Amino acid sequence: MRISSSIALLISRIALGIILMGHGWQKFSEWGIAGTADSFDAMGVPAAGLAAVVAAVIVLVAVGAGQMSLDRIFFGKRAARG
């Protein structure tokens, strides 16, 4: 993999991580779980209170898990070949 591709992937992963982390944190801090649950309820999501907590936690956890998955997808195969 060329250095320019590696840098582009790094920048993409960092940007995606910041976006997801901000999106998940917003559910806790800005709107609060109650506000998120109200929004989910207005959209017709069943068990909106539980769904709000699950969605907020999953988005925050997805940042770390997603970054590890991307590393495995893009760099794990390369390491196995090398």
Side-chain angles (χ1 to χ4, degrees):
M1 183 175 292
R2 296 185 338 216
I3 189 76
S4 60
S5 296
S6 294
I7 291 171
L9 286 173
L10 174 65
I11 291 170
S12 299
R13 287 196 315 264
I14 290 171
L16 180 63
I18 290 169
I19 290 167
L20 287 175
M21 194 166 56
H23 184 66
W25 188 249
Q26 184 180 39
K27 287 176 176 37
F28 282 114
S29 64
E30 187 175 327
W31 299 333
I33 295 298
T36 302
D38 290 342
S39 178
F40 282 6
D41 191 42
M43 289 184 266
V45 175
L50 177 62
V53 173
V54 170
V57 170
I58 285 176
V59 171
L60 283 175
V61 172
V63 171
Q67 297 301 328
M68 288 187 297
S69 296
L70 287 175
D71 285 343
R72 174 185 262 169
I73 290 168
F74 290 111
F75 300 111
K77 292 178 183 176
R78 181 173 164 240
R81 280 187 261 145

